[in-house]
């Protein structure tokens, strides 16, 4: 009887672990301008910034994909062949394209605060072609303290603002919207699940 109970517990633990871990093995390609690597540290050191950025990227996207390889894509119009690994047919190529799209400002209690606009597009390769999800351009502010809806204090360093905006954009994309009601709005629920799991061919 004890053995039976232990077997059942083992099966339950294994199934929970399997459900918690991302199932798809992926090669994550990121396509960014050099400036995103420069802003990672005060020295504007691209090589050091590459290590810092890739660590953050893998931490966040590792929640959505079982990342086996992380590579920087060249800054050109990519084709599915560019990111498909012939020696790894069971791996899914995932492309994360990030661009800076300008700056803006907002009103704070005294003066203005800076914003940074970031464009994000994610793609996968399935059936030999790209399927994409375009997040469009989103604006991220530098507010550090808000009181009753008013920005009281904000970050003024353009480098830090840019780095934070990029990080916030990635964090948002790698967060599952659990507020979507799967019972009352099953279409939106399925869409959010497909987006989060990178199943853009289902959208």
């Amino acid at each position: 009887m004890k053995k039976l109970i232990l077997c059942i517990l083992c099966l339950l633990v294994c199934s929970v672990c399997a459900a918690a871990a991302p199932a798809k093995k992926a090669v994550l390609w990121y396509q960014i301008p050099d400036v995103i690597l420069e802003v990672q540290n005060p020295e504007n050191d691209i090589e050091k910034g590459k290590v810092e950025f890739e660590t953050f990227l893998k931490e966040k996207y590792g929640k959505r994909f079982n990342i086996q390889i992380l590579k920087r894509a060249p800054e050109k119009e990519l084709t599915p062949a560019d990111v498909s690994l012939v020696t790894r047919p069971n791996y899914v190529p995932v492309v994360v394209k990030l661009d800076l799209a300008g700056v803006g400002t907002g009103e704070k209690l005294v003066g203005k605060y800076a914003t940074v606009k970031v464009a994000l597009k994610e793609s996968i390769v399935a059936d030999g072609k790209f399927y994409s999800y375009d997040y469009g351009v989103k604006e991220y502010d530098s507010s550090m303290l808000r009181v009753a809806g008013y920005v009281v204090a904000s970050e003024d360093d353009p480098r830090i603002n840019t780095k934070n905006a990029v990080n916030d954009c990635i964090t948002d994309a790698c967060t599952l919207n659990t507020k979507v009601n799967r019972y009352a709005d099953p279409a939106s629920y399925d869409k959010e699940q497909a987006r989060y799991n990178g199943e853009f061919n289902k959208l």
Side-chain angles (χ1 to χ4, degrees):
M1 186 67 180
K2 286 182 180 179
K3 287 183 180 179
L4 179 62
I5 292 170
L6 282 172
C7 285
I8 292 170
L9 284 173
C10 285
L11 286 170
L12 285 172
V13 169
C14 290
S15 63
V16 167
C17 290
K24 292 180 180 176
K25 290 184 177 179
V27 180
L28 186 69
W29 293 82
Y30 64 96
Q31 191 174 39
I32 58 170
D34 282 345
V35 70
I36 289 180
L37 300 181
E38 289 176 6
V39 300
Q40 298 300 311
N41 54 75
E43 300 82 23
N44 295 329
D45 185 322
I46 288 182
E47 289 305 312
K48 183 180 172 184
K50 184 173 184 284
V51 174
E52 293 173 298
F53 182 73
E54 286 187 351
T55 299
F56 181 79
L57 202 64
K58 192 164 186 178
E59 175 197 339
K60 295 300 178 182
Y61 274 95
K63 297 175 182 179
R64 296 172 60 190
F65 304 100
N66 185 358
I67 300 170
Q68 302 296 305
I69 302 170
L70 188 64
K71 297 177 76 69
R72 186 178 181 187
E75 289 191 63
K76 65 167 191 170
E77 192 68 32
L78 296 174
T79 67
D82 292 328
V83 294
S84 295
L85 297 180
V86 179
T87 55
R88 295 282 193 275
N90 57 326
Y91 287 12
V92 177
V94 179
V95 181
V96 175
K97 181 177 172 57
L98 271 163
D99 277 313
L100 296 174
V103 295
T105 57
E107 298 288 336
K108 64 179 179 180
L109 209 56
V110 178
K112 296 180 182 292
Y113 63 87
T115 65
V116 177
K117 299 172 185 177
V118 185
L120 172 63
K121 183 179 180 181
E122 297 173 347
S123 304
I124 62 162
V125 175
D127 306 318
K129 60 181 180 179
F130 278 128
Y131 293 90
S132 301
Y133 188 90
D134 195 338
Y135 292 81
V137 176
K138 293 187 179 179
E139 196 167 358
Y140 294 89
D141 68 47
S142 59
S143 59
M144 299 169 67
L145 177 63
R146 288 178 184 266
V147 177
Y150 291 98
V151 174
V152 178
S154 62
E155 176 60 63
D156 296 321
D157 187 323
R159 181 191 69 80
I160 295 174
N161 284 342
T162 305
K163 178 180 178 178
N164 288 346
V166 169
N167 287 356
D168 288 346
C169 181
I170 292 169
T171 301
D172 285 349
C174 293
T175 301
L176 179 67
N177 184 359
T178 55
K179 293 180 180 178
V180 180
N181 190 325
R182 66 178 294 187
Y183 306 103
D185 193 356
S188 294
Y189 178 83
D190 289 344
K191 182 178 179 181
E192 175 61 5
Q193 291 290 323
R195 178 204 68 81
Y196 186 80
N197 293 320
E199 297 170 337
F200 307 139
N201 50 323
K202 292 184 178 180
L203 297 176

Short mmCIF file of all heavy atoms in Angstrom, two decimals, residues 88-134:
data_model
loop_
_atom_site.label_atom_id
_atom_site.label_comp_id
_atom_site.label_asym_id
_atom_site.label_seq_id
_atom_site.Cartn_x
_atom_site.Cartn_y
_atom_site.Cartn_z
N ARG A 88 19.38 20.99 -35.70
CA ARG A 88 18.47 20.89 -34.56
C ARG A 88 17.02 21.04 -35.04
O ARG A 88 16.36 22.03 -34.77
CB ARG A 88 18.77 21.98 -33.53
CG ARG A 88 20.13 21.87 -32.86
CD ARG A 88 20.11 20.79 -31.78
NE ARG A 88 21.29 20.87 -30.93
CZ ARG A 88 22.47 20.32 -31.20
NH1 ARG A 88 22.60 19.65 -32.33
NH2 ARG A 88 23.47 20.43 -30.37
N PRO A 89 16.53 20.06 -35.78
CA PRO A 89 15.18 20.18 -36.35
C PRO A 89 14.08 20.23 -35.30
O PRO A 89 12.98 20.68 -35.58
CB PRO A 89 15.06 18.94 -37.23
CG PRO A 89 16.04 17.97 -36.67
CD PRO A 89 17.16 18.79 -36.13
N ASN A 90 14.36 19.76 -34.09
CA ASN A 90 13.32 19.76 -33.05
C ASN A 90 13.32 21.04 -32.22
O ASN A 90 12.52 21.18 -31.30
CB ASN A 90 13.50 18.54 -32.13
CG ASN A 90 14.87 18.51 -31.49
OD1 ASN A 90 15.85 18.93 -32.10
ND2 ASN A 90 14.96 18.01 -30.27
N TYR A 91 14.22 21.98 -32.51
CA TYR A 91 14.25 23.25 -31.80
C TYR A 91 13.41 24.29 -32.53
O TYR A 91 13.39 24.32 -33.76
CB TYR A 91 15.68 23.79 -31.68
CG TYR A 91 16.57 23.06 -30.69
CD1 TYR A 91 16.21 21.84 -30.13
CD2 TYR A 91 17.81 23.59 -30.34
CE1 TYR A 91 17.04 21.18 -29.24
CE2 TYR A 91 18.64 22.93 -29.46
CZ TYR A 91 18.26 21.73 -28.91
OH TYR A 91 19.08 21.07 -28.03
N VAL A 92 12.73 25.13 -31.78
CA VAL A 92 11.92 26.19 -32.37
C VAL A 92 12.72 27.49 -32.37
O VAL A 92 13.13 27.95 -31.31
CB VAL A 92 10.61 26.40 -31.58
CG1 VAL A 92 9.81 27.55 -32.17
CG2 VAL A 92 9.79 25.13 -31.55
N PRO A 93 12.95 28.09 -33.54
CA PRO A 93 13.61 29.40 -33.56
C PRO A 93 12.63 30.48 -33.11
O PRO A 93 11.52 30.56 -33.63
CB PRO A 93 14.00 29.60 -35.03
CG PRO A 93 13.84 28.26 -35.67
CD PRO A 93 12.77 27.57 -34.90
N VAL A 94 13.04 31.28 -32.14
CA VAL A 94 12.24 32.40 -31.65
C VAL A 94 13.04 33.67 -31.87
O VAL A 94 14.20 33.76 -31.45
CB VAL A 94 11.91 32.24 -30.15
CG1 VAL A 94 11.09 33.43 -29.65
CG2 VAL A 94 11.17 30.93 -29.88
N VAL A 95 12.45 34.65 -32.53
CA VAL A 95 13.14 35.91 -32.80
C VAL A 95 12.50 37.03 -32.00
O VAL A 95 11.29 37.24 -32.06
CB VAL A 95 13.10 36.27 -34.31
CG1 VAL A 95 13.84 37.58 -34.57
CG2 VAL A 95 13.69 35.15 -35.15
N VAL A 96 13.32 37.74 -31.23
CA VAL A 96 12.87 38.89 -30.45
C VAL A 96 13.52 40.12 -31.07
O VAL A 96 14.74 40.28 -31.02
CB VAL A 96 13.26 38.76 -28.97
CG1 VAL A 96 12.89 40.03 -28.20
CG2 VAL A 96 12.60 37.53 -28.35
N LYS A 97 12.71 40.98 -31.67
CA LYS A 97 13.22 42.19 -32.31
C LYS A 97 12.82 43.41 -31.49
O LYS A 97 11.63 43.69 -31.30
CB LYS A 97 12.68 42.31 -33.73
CG LYS A 97 13.18 43.54 -34.49
CD LYS A 97 12.67 43.55 -35.92
CE LYS A 97 12.98 44.84 -36.66
NZ LYS A 97 14.40 45.17 -36.70
N LEU A 98 13.84 44.13 -30.99
CA LEU A 98 13.62 45.31 -30.15
C LEU A 98 14.22 46.53 -30.83
O LEU A 98 15.34 46.49 -31.32
CB LEU A 98 14.30 45.14 -28.80
CG LEU A 98 13.51 44.48 -27.67
CD1 LEU A 98 14.46 44.03 -26.59
CD2 LEU A 98 12.49 45.43 -27.08
N ASP A 99 13.46 47.63 -30.84
CA ASP A 99 13.95 48.90 -31.38
C ASP A 99 13.57 50.03 -30.44
O ASP A 99 12.50 49.98 -29.81
CB ASP A 99 13.36 49.18 -32.76
CG ASP A 99 14.11 48.46 -33.87
OD1 ASP A 99 15.34 48.53 -33.88
OD2 ASP A 99 13.44 47.82 -34.71
N LEU A 100 14.42 51.03 -30.37
CA LEU A 100 14.07 52.25 -29.65
C LEU A 100 13.34 53.15 -30.63
O LEU A 100 13.77 53.32 -31.77
CB LEU A 100 15.32 52.92 -29.09
CG LEU A 100 16.07 52.08 -28.05
CD1 LEU A 100 17.38 52.75 -27.66
CD2 LEU A 100 15.21 51.85 -26.82
N ALA A 101 12.24 53.74 -30.18
CA ALA A 101 11.37 54.48 -31.10
C ALA A 101 11.16 55.93 -30.67
O ALA A 101 10.12 56.53 -30.96
CB ALA A 101 10.02 53.77 -31.21
N GLY A 102 12.15 56.48 -29.97
CA GLY A 102 12.06 57.89 -29.62
C GLY A 102 11.79 58.13 -28.14
O GLY A 102 11.72 57.20 -27.34
N VAL A 103 11.64 59.41 -27.79
CA VAL A 103 11.41 59.81 -26.40
C VAL A 103 10.16 60.68 -26.32
O VAL A 103 9.64 61.16 -27.32
CB VAL A 103 12.62 60.59 -25.83
CG1 VAL A 103 13.85 59.71 -25.76
CG2 VAL A 103 12.91 61.84 -26.67
N GLY A 104 9.69 60.86 -25.10
CA GLY A 104 8.55 61.72 -24.86
C GLY A 104 8.67 62.33 -23.48
O GLY A 104 9.67 62.12 -22.76
N THR A 105 7.66 63.07 -23.07
CA THR A 105 7.66 63.67 -21.74
C THR A 105 6.27 63.59 -21.13
O THR A 105 5.28 63.43 -21.85
CB THR A 105 8.08 65.16 -21.78
OG1 THR A 105 7.20 65.87 -22.66
CG2 THR A 105 9.51 65.32 -22.24
N GLY A 106 6.23 63.70 -19.84
CA GLY A 106 4.97 63.75 -19.12
C GLY A 106 5.05 64.81 -18.04
O GLY A 106 6.15 65.21 -17.64
N GLU A 107 3.89 65.26 -17.60
CA GLU A 107 3.85 66.30 -16.56
C GLU A 107 4.00 65.67 -15.18
O GLU A 107 3.37 64.66 -14.88
CB GLU A 107 2.52 67.06 -16.63
CG GLU A 107 2.28 67.79 -17.94
CD GLU A 107 3.17 69.02 -18.09
OE1 GLU A 107 3.61 69.56 -17.06
OE2 GLU A 107 3.40 69.41 -19.25
N LYS A 108 4.86 66.27 -14.35
CA LYS A 108 4.92 65.85 -12.96
C LYS A 108 4.57 67.04 -12.07
O LYS A 108 4.30 68.13 -12.57
CB LYS A 108 6.26 65.25 -12.60
CG LYS A 108 7.48 66.14 -12.69
CD LYS A 108 8.71 65.34 -12.27
CE LYS A 108 9.97 66.19 -12.35
NZ LYS A 108 11.16 65.44 -11.95
N LEU A 109 4.54 66.83 -10.80
CA LEU A 109 4.10 67.86 -9.87
C LEU A 109 4.85 69.16 -10.10
O LEU A 109 4.26 70.24 -10.11
CB LEU A 109 4.29 67.37 -8.43
CG LEU A 109 3.33 67.95 -7.38
CD1 LEU A 109 1.89 67.71 -7.77
CD2 LEU A 109 3.62 67.37 -6.01
N VAL A 110 6.16 69.04 -10.27
CA VAL A 110 6.98 70.21 -10.61
C VAL A 110 7.82 69.84 -11.83
O VAL A 110 8.68 68.97 -11.75
CB VAL A 110 7.91 70.62 -9.44
CG1 VAL A 110 8.78 71.81 -9.85
CG2 VAL A 110 7.10 70.96 -8.21
N GLY A 111 7.54 70.46 -12.97
CA GLY A 111 8.30 70.17 -14.18
C GLY A 111 7.76 69.00 -14.97
O GLY A 111 6.57 68.68 -14.91
N LYS A 112 8.66 68.33 -15.71
CA LYS A 112 8.27 67.22 -16.57
C LYS A 112 9.14 66.00 -16.27
O LYS A 112 10.20 66.12 -15.67
CB LYS A 112 8.44 67.60 -18.05
CG LYS A 112 7.53 68.75 -18.50
CD LYS A 112 7.76 69.06 -19.98
CE LYS A 112 6.90 70.23 -20.42
NZ LYS A 112 5.47 69.89 -20.44
N TYR A 113 8.68 64.83 -16.69
CA TYR A 113 9.50 63.62 -16.58
C TYR A 113 9.66 63.03 -17.97
O TYR A 113 8.87 63.27 -18.87
CB TYR A 113 8.89 62.61 -15.60
CG TYR A 113 7.54 62.07 -16.00
CD1 TYR A 113 7.42 60.96 -16.84
CD2 TYR A 113 6.37 62.64 -15.50
CE1 TYR A 113 6.19 60.45 -17.19
CE2 TYR A 113 5.12 62.14 -15.84
CZ TYR A 113 5.04 61.05 -16.69
OH TYR A 113 3.81 60.54 -17.03
N ALA A 114 10.74 62.26 -18.13
CA ALA A 114 11.08 61.70 -19.44
C ALA A 114 10.43 60.35 -19.65
O ALA A 114 10.21 59.58 -18.71
CB ALA A 114 12.59 61.57 -19.56
N THR A 115 10.11 60.04 -20.90
CA THR A 115 9.63 58.72 -21.28
C THR A 115 10.49 58.20 -22.44
O THR A 115 11.11 58.98 -23.16
CB THR A 115 8.16 58.74 -21.72
OG1 THR A 115 8.05 59.52 -22.92
CG2 THR A 115 7.27 59.31 -20.65
N VAL A 116 10.52 56.88 -22.59
CA VAL A 116 11.25 56.24 -23.68
C VAL A 116 10.30 55.28 -24.39
O VAL A 116 9.58 54.52 -23.74
CB VAL A 116 12.48 55.46 -23.18
CG1 VAL A 116 13.19 54.74 -24.33
CG2 VAL A 116 13.47 56.40 -22.47
N LYS A 117 10.28 55.35 -25.71
CA LYS A 117 9.39 54.50 -26.51
C LYS A 117 10.16 53.29 -27.05
O LYS A 117 11.25 53.44 -27.59
CB LYS A 117 8.79 55.30 -27.67
CG LYS A 117 7.96 56.50 -27.20
CD LYS A 117 7.54 57.38 -28.35
CE LYS A 117 6.81 58.62 -27.85
NZ LYS A 117 6.45 59.53 -28.96
N VAL A 118 9.56 52.12 -26.88
CA VAL A 118 10.21 50.87 -27.30
C VAL A 118 9.26 50.07 -28.19
O VAL A 118 8.06 49.95 -27.88
CB VAL A 118 10.60 50.02 -26.07
CG1 VAL A 118 11.38 48.77 -26.51
CG2 VAL A 118 11.42 50.82 -25.07
N ALA A 119 9.79 49.56 -29.28
CA ALA A 119 9.00 48.71 -30.19
C ALA A 119 9.47 47.26 -30.04
O ALA A 119 10.67 47.00 -30.00
CB ALA A 119 9.19 49.17 -31.63
N LEU A 120 8.52 46.36 -29.94
CA LEU A 120 8.84 44.94 -29.76
C LEU A 120 8.02 44.08 -30.71
O LEU A 120 6.81 44.28 -30.86
CB LEU A 120 8.57 44.50 -28.32
CG LEU A 120 8.68 43.00 -28.02
CD1 LEU A 120 10.10 42.50 -28.25
CD2 LEU A 120 8.23 42.71 -26.59
N LYS A 121 8.70 43.14 -31.35
CA LYS A 121 8.03 42.17 -32.22
C LYS A 121 8.66 40.81 -31.98
O LYS A 121 9.89 40.68 -31.95
CB LYS A 121 8.19 42.57 -33.68
CG LYS A 121 7.45 41.67 -34.67
CD LYS A 121 7.65 42.19 -36.09
CE LYS A 121 6.95 41.33 -37.12
NZ LYS A 121 7.17 41.84 -38.50
N GLU A 122 7.83 39.80 -31.76
CA GLU A 122 8.31 38.43 -31.56
C GLU A 122 7.86 37.56 -32.73
O GLU A 122 6.75 37.74 -33.23
CB GLU A 122 7.75 37.84 -30.26
CG GLU A 122 8.21 38.58 -29.01
CD GLU A 122 7.50 38.08 -27.76
OE1 GLU A 122 6.49 37.35 -27.87
OE2 GLU A 122 7.95 38.44 -26.67
N SER A 123 8.72 36.64 -33.14
CA SER A 123 8.38 35.74 -34.25
C SER A 123 8.86 34.33 -33.95
O SER A 123 9.84 34.14 -33.23
CB SER A 123 9.03 36.23 -35.56
OG SER A 123 8.68 37.55 -35.85
N ILE A 124 8.16 33.37 -34.51
CA ILE A 124 8.62 31.98 -34.49
C ILE A 124 8.64 31.48 -35.94
O ILE A 124 8.02 32.07 -36.81
CB ILE A 124 7.72 31.05 -33.64
CG1 ILE A 124 6.30 31.00 -34.23
CG2 ILE A 124 7.72 31.45 -32.19
CD1 ILE A 124 5.48 29.81 -33.76
N VAL A 125 9.38 30.41 -36.16
CA VAL A 125 9.38 29.77 -37.47
C VAL A 125 8.61 28.46 -37.35
O VAL A 125 8.91 27.62 -36.51
CB VAL A 125 10.81 29.50 -37.98
CG1 VAL A 125 10.77 28.72 -39.29
CG2 VAL A 125 11.57 30.80 -38.16
N ALA A 126 7.58 28.33 -38.16
CA ALA A 126 6.80 27.09 -38.22
C ALA A 126 6.41 26.85 -39.67
O ALA A 126 6.06 27.79 -40.38
CB ALA A 126 5.55 27.21 -37.35
N ASP A 127 6.54 25.62 -40.10
CA ASP A 127 6.21 25.25 -41.48
C ASP A 127 7.03 26.08 -42.48
O ASP A 127 6.54 26.43 -43.56
CB ASP A 127 4.71 25.44 -41.77
CG ASP A 127 3.83 24.69 -40.77
OD1 ASP A 127 4.19 23.54 -40.44
OD2 ASP A 127 2.82 25.26 -40.31
N GLY A 128 8.25 26.43 -42.09
CA GLY A 128 9.15 27.14 -43.00
C GLY A 128 8.85 28.61 -43.21
O GLY A 128 9.39 29.23 -44.12
N LYS A 129 7.99 29.19 -42.34
CA LYS A 129 7.73 30.63 -42.49
C LYS A 129 7.56 31.28 -41.12
O LYS A 129 7.34 30.61 -40.11
CB LYS A 129 6.51 30.88 -43.37
CG LYS A 129 5.21 30.29 -42.88
CD LYS A 129 4.09 30.60 -43.88
CE LYS A 129 2.76 30.01 -43.43
NZ LYS A 129 1.67 30.33 -44.36
N PHE A 130 7.66 32.62 -41.12
CA PHE A 130 7.53 33.38 -39.89
C PHE A 130 6.07 33.57 -39.50
O PHE A 130 5.22 33.85 -40.34
CB PHE A 130 8.16 34.78 -40.04
CG PHE A 130 9.65 34.81 -39.84
CD1 PHE A 130 10.47 35.41 -40.78
CD2 PHE A 130 10.23 34.28 -38.69
CE1 PHE A 130 11.84 35.46 -40.60
CE2 PHE A 130 11.60 34.33 -38.50
CZ PHE A 130 12.41 34.92 -39.46
N TYR A 131 5.81 33.43 -38.21
CA TYR A 131 4.55 33.84 -37.61
C TYR A 131 4.93 34.82 -36.50
O TYR A 131 5.79 34.51 -35.67
CB TYR A 131 3.78 32.65 -37.03
CG TYR A 131 3.29 31.69 -38.08
CD1 TYR A 131 4.07 30.61 -38.49
CD2 TYR A 131 2.04 31.87 -38.67
CE1 TYR A 131 3.61 29.73 -39.46
CE2 TYR A 131 1.57 30.98 -39.63
CZ TYR A 131 2.37 29.92 -40.03
OH TYR A 131 1.92 29.05 -40.99
N SER A 132 4.31 35.98 -36.50
CA SER A 132 4.75 37.04 -35.59
C SER A 132 3.64 37.59 -34.71
O SER A 132 2.45 37.49 -35.02
CB SER A 132 5.36 38.20 -36.40
OG SER A 132 6.45 37.76 -37.18
N TYR A 133 4.08 38.18 -33.61
CA TYR A 133 3.19 38.94 -32.73
C TYR A 133 3.84 40.30 -32.52
O TYR A 133 4.94 40.39 -31.97
CB TYR A 133 2.99 38.24 -31.39
CG TYR A 133 1.93 38.90 -30.54
CD1 TYR A 133 0.60 38.51 -30.62
CD2 TYR A 133 2.26 39.92 -29.65
CE1 TYR A 133 -0.38 39.12 -29.86
CE2 TYR A 133 1.29 40.53 -28.88
CZ TYR A 133 -0.03 40.13 -28.98
OH TYR A 133 -0.99 40.75 -28.23
N ASP A 134 3.19 41.34 -32.99
CA ASP A 134 3.74 42.69 -32.91
C ASP A 134 3.09 43.44 -31.74
O ASP A 134 1.88 43.65 -31.73
CB ASP A 134 3.47 43.42 -34.23
CG ASP A 134 4.31 44.68 -34.37
OD1 ASP A 134 4.76 45.23 -33.35
OD2 ASP A 134 4.53 45.13 -35.52
#
